[in-house]
Amino acid sequence: MKIKIKNLELEIPILNASGPRCTTEKELLDLEDSLSGAVVSKSCTLEMREGNKGKRYWDCETLSINSMGLPNLGFEFYGEMSKKVKKPYIISVGGLSLEDNVTILNHFLTLEKKVGIELNLSCPNIIGKGQLAYDFDCLEEYLTEIFERVDISKFLAFGIKLPPYFELTHYVGVYMKISKFPIDFITCINSVGNGLVIDYEREKPVIEPKNGIGGLGGSIIKPVGLSNVYNFKKLFPKIDIIGCGGIETGKDVFEYFLAGASAVQIGTQFHKEGTGCFKRIYEEFLEIMKSKNYKSLSDIKIIP
Ligand code: DHB
């Protein structure tokens, strides 16, 4: 079940989402040894970061909430890892300023192994900073600078990670701002930002940073993820959409393909289950393909 996104060749279209279990060398090498179709790194910044303090991740059956605060080992570490990752390697870039991202991206162009880039425009958990992808005016300026100052075409593929949108006019708004840039893929959705989960027994939020406010994931967000994939695919028929949000089973993967995804990523379920989730979910997906007598991904027709 191969898929090619620009020059990024994925043998399996199911990847890890940037976020859980992809920060340290051990975690990245465990992904290398798994059935994840690529290794996607934690979003990296110029300097290493410890992230937010206190309990910062919580989950239950249907839902996760996190306010990690971008803990990562710094961009140079993720560049170095390109020597050890043999699979397609997608580095998530989450610098705290435009200047930082230009520096980080230009550094990744000097690596011997070509990498894919997922530019994260949608981190909800940095104290004092909003999500760039919700600021339509800044978004265009930002991408203009990036494309002027970095030779983006030299990456295996270049994509952006977007937050969920909830209003049809917002999809068009994003389209107006980004359609002029040669972006190879859009990953959507990041977590549903700024949720609040309260434990009524303890009479406290379940996580500590930012008064308990954090990004939501898990199966409850799947309908939002499907809708974002569907709406962006309609607007950008030529751009590959990587679907993310609430995938737990092969059936969920199949639904994302029906909505228009070319590949998918798994976050909350990967956090819960570990790297075994990629084999299980892929096998479940193959079983569905077989039951429908579909031989390749192109047999799946996007819903009208
Ligand atoms: C973090 C959360 C995100 O949703 C993201 O896109 C990047 C970083 C975090 O809190 O670490």
Side-chain angles (χ1 to χ4, degrees):
M1 293 291 158
K2 288 183 189 179
I3 155 94
K4 195 168 172 193
I5 300 179
K6 202 188 163 203
N7 293 319
L8 197 60
E9 292 187 41
L10 307 175
E11 293 292 325
I12 295 177
I14 303 172
L15 327 176
N16 68 297
S18 177
R21 301 179 185 269
C22 58
T23 301
T24 64
E25 173 160 348
K26 170 156 191 327
E27 289 170 337
L28 294 169
L29 294 179
D30 283 351
L31 277 165
E32 165 81 3
D33 292 338
S34 77
L35 273 201
S36 172
V39 175
V40 184
S41 81
K42 174 74 183 164
S43 294
C44 62
T45 51
L46 203 60
E47 310 286 348
M48 82 172 270
R49 290 170 58 89
E50 302 276 350
N52 295 338
K53 298 223 175 328
K55 183 172 169 59
R56 55 196 192 176
Y57 189 94
W58 177 93
D59 68 351
C60 67
E61 267 295 284
T62 53
L63 167 66
S64 68
I65 181 165
N66 85 83
S67 181
M68 304 301 289
L70 222 34
N72 76 94
L73 298 175
F75 77 107
E76 282 169 327
F77 167 78
Y78 297 98
E80 278 295 300
M81 283 305 295
S82 66
K83 294 179 187 151
K84 298 191 179 163
V85 174
K86 302 281 171 272
K87 273 194 212 175
Y89 183 33
I90 301 174
I91 307 183
S92 171
V93 173
L96 298 181
S97 70
L98 171 68
E99 290 307 315
D100 288 2
N101 279 335
V102 168
T103 306
I104 293 169
L105 290 168
N106 277 321
H107 173 72
F108 291 154
L109 280 180
T110 67
L111 300 173
E112 205 166 304
K113 177 188 159 97
K114 281 201 171 198
V115 297
I117 296 289
E118 186 179 88
L119 181 64
N120 187 354
L121 302 175
S122 50
C123 175
N125 298 335
I126 301 302
I127 294 167
K129 256 185 180 309
Q131 295 188 48
L132 185 68
Y134 284 144
D135 187 336
F136 291 173
D137 295 331
C138 287
L139 188 59
E140 183 168 11
E141 256 178 63
Y142 204 89
L143 289 175
T144 302
E145 290 275 332
I146 298 267
F147 276 86
E148 270 176 22
R149 297 168 62 189
V150 184
D151 191 355
I152 292 296
S153 67
K154 295 281 176 2
F155 290 116
L156 277 186
F158 176 84
I160 57 175
K161 174 116 171 232
L162 294 178
Y165 297 94
F166 300 95
E167 183 56 57
L168 297 183
T169 54
H170 292 172
Y171 296 109
V172 180
V174 175
Y175 175 79
M176 306 287 276
K177 299 300 177 189
I178 70 176
S179 55
K180 64 175 166 192
F181 302 104
I183 290 168
D184 304 308
F185 67 91
I186 292 173
T187 304
C188 61
I189 56 175
N190 203 325
S191 56
V192 173
N194 300 307
L196 176 61
V197 179
I198 296 178
D199 176 350
Y200 84 96
E201 282 174 343
R202 288 171 49 251
E203 303 184 17
K204 278 191 179 127
V206 295
I207 57 168
E208 289 174 323
K210 287 181 77 179
N211 303 325
I213 303 285
L216 306 178
S219 61
I220 59 154
I221 73 164
K222 188 179 73 172
V224 179
L226 287 170
S227 165
N228 274 259
V229 167
Y230 175 77
N231 280 294
F232 278 118
K233 191 65 196 175
K234 284 243 140 133
L235 285 169
F236 296 102
K238 296 211 178 101
I239 295 188
D240 286 297
I241 312 290
I242 302 185
C244 186
I247 294 174
E248 295 178 343
T249 66
K251 176 177 133 311
D252 299 327
V253 174
F254 194 82
E255 290 172 14
Y256 267 93
F257 282 107
L258 288 173
S262 307
V264 296
Q265 294 181 348
I266 303 182
T268 296
Q269 186 61 29
F270 171 40
H271 186 282
K272 200 174 275 175
E273 187 176 342
T275 52
C277 76
F278 299 108
K279 181 165 188 287
R280 175 184 62 78
I281 292 172
Y282 187 46
E283 284 173 358
E284 290 169 359
F285 174 70
L286 290 179
E287 211 37 58
I288 292 171
M289 292 291 280
K290 200 165 136 205
S291 73
K292 291 178 181 270
N293 218 359
Y294 290 170
K295 304 267 182 296
S296 77
L297 295 175
S298 58
D299 290 337
I300 309 175
K301 297 295 169 229
I302 300 174
I303 57 168

